[in-house]
Amino acid sequence: DGFYYDIAYDKPFTPEDLTAIEKRMKELIAKNYDVDVEVVSREKAQQAFESRHEPYKVQIVEEIPDGETIKLYHHQEYTDMCGGPHVPNTRHLRHFKLMKVSGAYWRGDSNNTMLQRIYGTAWGTDSELKAHLKQLEEAEKRDHRRLGKKLSLFHIQDNAPGMVFWHPPGWSVYQKLQQYIRQVLKVAGYQEIRTPQIVDRTLWEKSGHWDKFKDDMFTTFSENRDYAVKPMNCPCHVQIFNQGLRSYKDLPIRLSEFGSCHRNEPSGTLHGLMRVRNFVQDDGHIFCSEDQVQSEVSDFIDLVFKVYKTLGFDKVLIKLSTRPEKRVGSDEVWDKSEKSLQDALDNKNLDWDLLPGEGAFYGPKIEFSLQDCLGRVWQCGTIQVDFSMPERLDASFIGVDGNRHTPVMLHRAILGSFERFIGILIENYAGDFPFWLAPEQIRILPVSDEARVFAETVQIKLLESGVLSTLDSSGERLGKLIRNGEQAKIPVLAIIGSKEVQNNTVSLRSRRSGDLGEMSIDKLIDCCSRANLNKSLDIATEQPHK
């Protein structure tokens, strides 16, 4: 849905410059220039860009691997190099918009020159372009960073880059989400564990992570030993499996952890909650025999769909990634594992896409992506088959034959990162959380001093019943109290005046359903409790029909 071009230019581009560039682009497009492709030698490509004083293009040419085709694309006023393909004529480019300018280091290296990157978007029709721009406008309103600040959910600051400071409302959402996942996993037969944050380098070397990821790991040193802050939980979970002698009768063993991980992501890639350096996963590992893989995967698929539906996502996209060229394990084991994953999907009559060669080096995987209210797709859940790590870390169980066997290890997560998933929730709901997940579920609005005393009693009863309620004792007029509650996206406002005090009731206003009328305190508590239990969007759905 977009493109960009990096440009070396002495002066910073301004919004007026973008307008002028757009105007010139439209003039060129209107000329209906043909776009011709020419396959050239490395020498000819170098000469083409040296003659035009384009050193960056010359460097790109020099770095193209031997044997790879080099293409120049020409129209009447310009020549460029690209892998292609391109449109055959400029008239196909009429529906576009230049969006913004930002700095970009050449080759992404901060030691190189800073270029200016112009972003744009282009579409086949004007209606598609307008729809996309409208979606971007809506996405901007829903930006989790803006709403996080407005609703005081979280913040991130320069002296802890990529680390989240959760404010009380945001931490409330986090805890509710975690408690929900914890209960789901408990019912599904998982045993929750906790493993250390810092582990000796030798474990990471043995697991293979040190060689592959050491540049992305935070490390420390103590008493002549090297340690790494864990970037993932799997090697530590194997350590728990390895304690004691395991039998085939014990399998499958399902371990779960809300494991806090740290990864030294480049600062330029950090993006609010969506890309952080410290995150917590709803991580889990299933240790099973080969003939248990399909049933475990099948149960996990059901779990994923259940959780996503509860959280408001009905459309789930599925991809199956199979063996890469470089891999461990025999073809026979890969055949069996890939078939187990495919059968688990097919037996549920699910649509899925195949990604040949995109599996991990240790086994195939299924990825689950959800689609939000703006049609954006977010890859969240995954289940991966691993033959390698259990063997590397000496995991074994006693089989039916009395011999030691290596278990299959299934890496799985439903949400992925809590931080990222909460960012997705904020944007999907525009900060207007479902009742059960809201950090402030009911705000009580007393309209007199007499009502305030009764309101305090109501609040205590709600809190004792597990309903997150607050009391607005600012003394503002009712209209202002309601407006403040609506701006704060409170799901339910409970208005108390002299009539409500006399009747031992509250008058309710639902953010989603409007006026709910008067309700007794006991009935309100019952509705709220059922809404929390049923993970409901609104308490209105929990009221008995009249």
Side-chain angles (χ1 to χ4, degrees):
D1 61 2
F3 63 88
Y4 66 81
Y5 210 97
D6 291 344
I7 300 168
Y9 193 64
D10 293 337
K11 298 177 182 178
F13 288 120
T14 66
E16 292 74 23
D17 290 328
L18 289 196
T19 301
I21 294 170
E22 274 194 347
K23 181 181 177 183
R24 179 63 176 151
M25 289 170 71
K26 290 175 181 176
E27 291 171 357
L28 293 172
I29 287 167
K31 293 180 183 293
N32 286 344
Y33 286 146
D34 286 334
V35 181
D36 299 316
V37 61
E38 179 188 11
V39 177
V40 299
S41 66
R42 185 187 307 274
E43 292 73 22
K44 185 169 181 178
Q46 286 174 323
Q47 290 169 5
F49 295 114
E50 284 172 352
S51 66
R52 290 169 43 191
H53 309 291
E54 294 201 49
Y56 297 104
K57 294 281 174 57
V58 173
Q59 185 177 337
I60 292 174
V61 173
E62 291 170 349
E63 294 173 356
I64 294 175
D66 291 336
E68 188 169 314
T69 301
I70 300 176
K71 297 177 184 177
L72 299 183
Y73 284 88
H74 309 276
H75 68 65
Q76 202 158 329
E77 304 202 14
Y78 192 60
T79 295
D80 204 357
M81 177 173 59
C82 188
H86 279 220
V87 294
N89 186 286
T90 59
R91 66 175 175 269
H92 296 287
L93 307 174
R94 290 177 295 163
H95 311 295
F96 74 94
K97 176 71 178 171
L98 299 186
M99 309 296 294
K100 64 177 181 178
V101 180
S102 70
Y105 291 110
W106 170 240
R107 289 302 200 222
D109 187 340
S110 59
N111 295 314
N112 290 338
T113 305
M114 174 75 80
L115 307 178
Q116 295 186 72
R117 178 169 292 181
I118 297 183
Y119 289 91
T121 186
W123 296 81
T125 65
D126 187 55
S127 60
E128 287 177 315
L129 173 63
K130 288 178 178 176
H132 178 68
L133 295 177
K134 186 172 180 59
Q135 184 190 58
L136 291 179
E137 184 182 341
E138 182 61 30
E140 179 66 24
K141 294 177 188 174
R142 294 167 176 262
D143 189 304
H144 72 282
R145 295 166 298 178
R146 188 175 70 85
L147 289 172
K149 183 175 182 179
K150 179 180 178 182
L151 301 176
S152 190
L153 300 174
F154 71 92
H155 83 273
I156 297 173
Q157 61 191 57
D158 288 342
N159 55 9
M163 317 280 185
V164 183
F165 291 80
W166 290 104
H167 298 195
W171 188 240
S172 173
V173 175
Y174 188 109
Q175 287 182 305
K176 287 187 178 190
L177 187 61
Q178 187 181 79
Q179 288 160 7
Y180 165 59
I181 296 296
R182 174 176 282 122
Q183 181 61 27
V184 166
L185 294 180
K186 188 179 294 182
V187 172
Y190 287 81
Q191 302 172 77
E192 187 174 339
I193 59 176
R194 186 71 175 172
T195 60
Q197 281 294 103
I198 298 175
V199 182
D200 191 290
R201 165 181 173 169
T202 54
L203 179 63
W204 304 109
E205 288 177 332
K206 193 171 182 181
S207 69
H209 290 104
W210 188 265
D211 289 340
K212 294 179 182 299
F213 303 114
K214 65 180 177 182
D215 291 339
D216 299 325
M217 299 166 76
F218 289 99
T219 57
T220 187
F221 177 83
S222 176
E223 297 181 340
N224 297 317
R225 296 176 70 179
D226 291 322
Y227 294 89
V229 183
K230 67 177 178 181
M232 62 269 299
N233 303 294
C234 21
C236 294
H237 286 202
V238 179
Q239 306 314 301
I240 289 182
F241 178 87
N242 285 351
Q243 298 303 301
L245 191 63
R246 304 289 186 178
S247 162
Y248 71 93
K249 296 178 182 179
D250 300 322
L251 304 184
I253 292 175
R254 308 181 189 97
L255 302 179
S256 68
E257 180 180 11
F258 299 114
S260 181
C261 299
H262 289 75
R263 295 181 188 172
N264 193 13
E265 303 282 3
S267 59
T269 67
L270 301 178
H271 179 75
L273 297 177
M274 302 304 192
R275 189 74 174 264
V276 291
R277 285 177 171 168
N278 173 219
F279 56 93
V280 175
Q281 295 175 302
D282 63 325
D283 209 358
H285 294 89
I286 302 168
F287 297 88
C288 62
S289 59
E290 286 186 20
D291 58 5
Q292 292 172 326
V293 170
Q294 183 180 333
S295 61
E296 289 300 309
V297 171
S298 180
D299 290 345
F300 180 70
I301 292 171
D302 292 340
L303 210 58
V304 167
F305 275 82
K306 174 186 176 182
V307 169
Y308 288 177
K309 186 173 180 61
T310 298
L311 294 170
F313 301 99
D314 293 319
K315 188 164 184 179
V316 181
L317 308 176
I318 302 172
K319 295 179 180 178
L320 171 61
S321 300
T322 56
R323 70 193 76 182
E325 186 175 337
K326 294 182 178 179
R327 58 184 182 271
V328 296
S330 67
D331 287 343
E332 181 185 0
V333 176
W334 276 88
D335 289 341
K336 185 172 183 179
S337 297
E338 290 172 353
K339 187 175 188 304
S340 295
L341 297 184
Q342 181 173 334
D343 288 348
L345 293 169
D346 289 342
N347 289 342
K348 296 183 180 299
N349 297 315
L350 295 170
D351 293 327
W352 52 274
D353 292 324
L354 180 66
L355 296 179
E358 294 297 317
F361 74 93
Y362 51 75
K365 62 181 177 179
I366 299 174
E367 293 180 347
F368 301 89
S369 300
L370 52 85
Q371 188 169 329
D372 69 11
C373 64
L374 296 183
R376 298 174 300 181
V377 175
W378 305 90
Q379 196 273 308
C380 295
T382 183
I383 185 162
Q384 305 174 9
V385 182
D386 187 350
F387 319 122
S388 173
M389 192 177 301
E391 186 173 14
R392 291 181 73 118
L393 298 181
D394 306 318
S396 66
F397 66 95
I398 304 301
V400 180
D401 57 5
N403 296 323
R404 286 185 178 271
H405 297 267
T406 302
V408 179
M409 185 178 183
L410 304 181
H411 305 248
R412 41 104 293 157
I414 302 173
L415 306 183
S417 152
F418 271 88
E419 285 73 12
R420 181 169 176 268
F421 202 91
I422 290 174
I424 294 169
L425 286 173
I426 292 170
E427 296 199 359
N428 185 64
Y429 288 110
D432 193 1
F433 292 107
F435 179 83
W436 74 274
L437 201 53
E440 185 180 348
Q441 296 176 305
I442 294 181
R443 181 174 291 182
I444 304 167
L445 310 179
V447 296
S448 66
D449 291 338
E450 176 194 16
R452 191 171 295 114
V453 176
F454 178 59
E456 290 171 354
T457 303
V458 172
Q459 184 194 13
I460 290 171
K461 287 184 177 180
L462 287 170
L463 290 172
E464 289 175 342
S465 302
V467 182
L468 297 180
S469 60
T470 59
L471 175 64
D472 189 334
S473 55
S474 63
E476 298 280 2
R477 293 180 180 274
L478 180 59
K480 181 69 180 300
L481 293 175
I482 292 174
R483 277 196 303 277
N484 290 344
E486 289 175 343
Q487 288 175 357
K489 302 181 185 289
I490 311 302
V492 177
L493 302 178
I495 301 165
I496 298 178
S498 56
K499 180 182 69 169
E500 286 79 12
V501 173
Q502 186 176 355
N503 296 338
N504 197 35
T505 60
V506 292
S507 291
L508 297 176
R509 184 186 185 93
S510 164
R511 185 168 169 77
R512 286 182 166 84
S513 305
D515 187 9
L516 300 181
E518 261 187 274
M519 188 180 291
S520 71
I521 308 306
D522 289 341
K523 184 179 175 183
L524 173 60
I525 290 172
D526 181 58
C527 283
C528 292
S529 298
R530 281 189 280 119
N532 282 333
L533 180 66
N534 298 330
K535 305 295 181 285
S536 299
L537 199 64
D538 187 12
I539 67 166
T541 59
E542 303 302 327
Q543 290 192 85
H545 296 294
K546 294 181 181 179

